[in-house]
Amino acid sequence: DGGITQSPKYLFRKEGQNVTLSCEQNLNHDAMYWYRQDPGQGLRLIYYSQIVNDFQKGDIAEGYSVSREKKESFPLTVTSAQKNPTAFYLCASSGLAGGVNRYEQFFGPGTRLTVL
Amino acid sequence: GIQVEQSPPDLILQEGANSTLRCNFSDSVNNLQWFHQNPWGQLINLFYIPSGTKQNGRLSATTVATERYSLLYISSSQTTDSGVYFCAVRGYGQNFVFGPGTRLSVLP
């Protein structure tokens, strides 16, 4: 099945610990994105990557880091510098280069992170 | 950056009723998507509609880019339509910006 997978589904972290959220896609999409969603609110962009080995900060990148070593993988690390990390994290991917809907985003099921 | 507003913020319907959700945006966009977020948090693509009108079963959407709004129509609503509906827009050379959502509850 083609799609986007995220793991784990639920994650609990103690204060001061770094954690890494996994995102994998087999849609052959060029671009991948990480969003954060707080209760009752919309999504905010953390980081995005349009090609392998390149990524850019979104609107709320402080306290987060990413890597893009493979086209299909875009892991997100929530560092201890992130002051309020408890949230729902969603990964998305979009577009084949030159495609008609190259910016249409598709989302994974999300990871719920709770800091204890 | 682009500002996105959605109305109404909350909507309660009886099963079988029709509804219209609205998305207003503050600047020119070249991409627009509608999503349904189910109770488990999954975002489901409804429409990719930077302009024009599209229909998919009981749902349809219209975007009037020159007037900076999009409408999502839900006809003969079902309890499974409950959840949050998001509009996301993308300006030229920018990333997608999400609206705050419309929370829909369909009662049996």
Side-chain angles (χ1 to χ4, degrees):
Chain A
D1 277 44
I4 304 170
T5 58
Q6 293 186 239
S7 62
K9 189 172 182 179
Y10 298 94
L11 185 57
F12 297 90
R13 189 195 95 174
K14 293 182 179 179
E15 283 192 24
Q17 289 182 336
N18 293 355
V19 290
T20 297
L21 283 57
S22 169
C23 177
E24 304 276 334
Q25 55 98 0
N26 61 4
L27 301 169
N28 199 29
H29 283 170
D30 295 307
M32 297 185 74
Y33 311 81
W34 275 105
Y35 290 90
R36 169 183 172 137
Q37 185 180 29
D38 292 289
Q41 298 187 24
L43 280 67
R44 293 182 290 166
L45 182 65
I46 304 172
Y47 267 99
Y48 65 100
S49 167
Q50 294 180 324
I51 57 172
V52 174
N53 292 323
D54 188 50
F55 47 83
Q56 285 79 40
K57 294 181 180 180
D59 301 320
I60 55 165
E62 185 176 352
Y64 300 98
S65 66
V66 294
S67 63
R68 186 86 186 277
E69 297 177 0
K70 298 186 295 183
K71 186 176 183 178
E72 60 270 22
S73 178
F74 191 40
L76 173 74
T77 297
V78 184
T79 75
S80 56
Q82 168 50 232
K83 295 180 181 178
N84 186 19
T86 294
F88 186 46
Y89 291 87
L90 288 151
C91 177
S93 69
S94 71
L96 300 173
V100 174
N101 293 340
R102 62 178 296 182
Y103 295 111
E104 183 176 6
Q105 295 194 6
F106 295 86
F107 282 82
T111 293
R112 295 191 184 276
L113 172 63
T114 302
V115 174
L116 303 173
Chain B
I2 293 177
Q3 304 298 313
V4 182
E5 299 177 345
Q6 291 187 243
S7 60
D10 296 280
L11 184 60
I12 301 174
L13 299 175
Q14 206 67 39
E15 197 169 26
N18 302 330
S19 62
T20 301
L21 282 58
R22 186 176 180 102
C23 172
N24 291 333
F25 40 94
S26 61
D27 205 346
S28 300
V29 300
N30 59 352
N31 292 282
L32 188 147
Q33 284 187 255
W34 281 98
F35 297 92
H36 173 213
Q37 187 169 40
N38 66 20
W40 297 272
Q42 176 76 54
L43 276 165
I44 300 163
N45 289 37
L46 298 178
F47 294 102
Y48 179 82
I49 185 168
S51 63
T53 297
K54 291 186 178 180
Q55 181 156 6
N56 184 4
R58 295 182 296 104
L59 274 59
S60 64
T62 295
T63 297
V64 184
T66 53
E67 297 186 19
R68 300 180 184 171
Y69 73 89
S70 183
L71 301 174
L72 177 68
Y73 306 96
I74 304 174
S75 64
S76 303
S77 58
Q78 301 175 358
T79 56
T80 52
D81 294 331
S82 296
V84 184
Y85 289 81
F86 288 105
C87 166
V89 305
R90 181 180 178 275
Y92 293 89
Q94 301 178 28
N95 285 303
F96 272 101
V97 175
F98 280 74
T102 292
R103 182 172 298 276
L104 174 64
S105 299
V106 181
L107 306 178

